[in-house]
Amino acid sequence: PTYIGDYVFIGANAVILMGSNIGAHSIVAAGAVVKEGSAFPPHSLIAGVPAVRKGDIRWHEVSAADDSLQEQT
């Protein structure tokens, strides 16, 4: 079975073949081809033909120091 996790963004013209496993909070780039049987962990940036994991896209929490820097600009 094909599994696509929660909050996965899939770009235009991306192809995800049967038996793929894409972890939650991942991004599949436009035009990517995810081959049959591919498995990607959560928070992955997935791109290419055939698709490979290009990196990790974890979000960070904004700290109080970051807030003070934004107020100065």
Side-chain angles (χ1 to χ4, degrees):
T2 301
Y3 174 77
I4 299 175
D6 291 335
Y7 304 106
V8 172
F9 292 93
I10 301 173
N13 296 322
V15 177
I16 300 173
L17 298 176
M18 293 186 306
S20 301
N21 184 342
I22 299 173
H25 304 280
S26 294
I27 297 174
V28 180
V33 177
V34 180
K35 292 188 339 180
E36 186 174 333
S38 298
F40 297 98
H43 303 280
S44 294
L45 174 60
I46 304 163
V49 179
V52 293
R53 185 172 188 259
K54 297 290 187 176
D56 189 72
I57 54 165
R58 294 189 193 272
W59 306 104
H60 69 280
E61 300 260 341
V62 176
S63 67
D66 290 339
D67 287 339
S68 64
L69 290 174
Q70 291 176 355
E71 291 173 3
Q72 293 176 359
T73 57

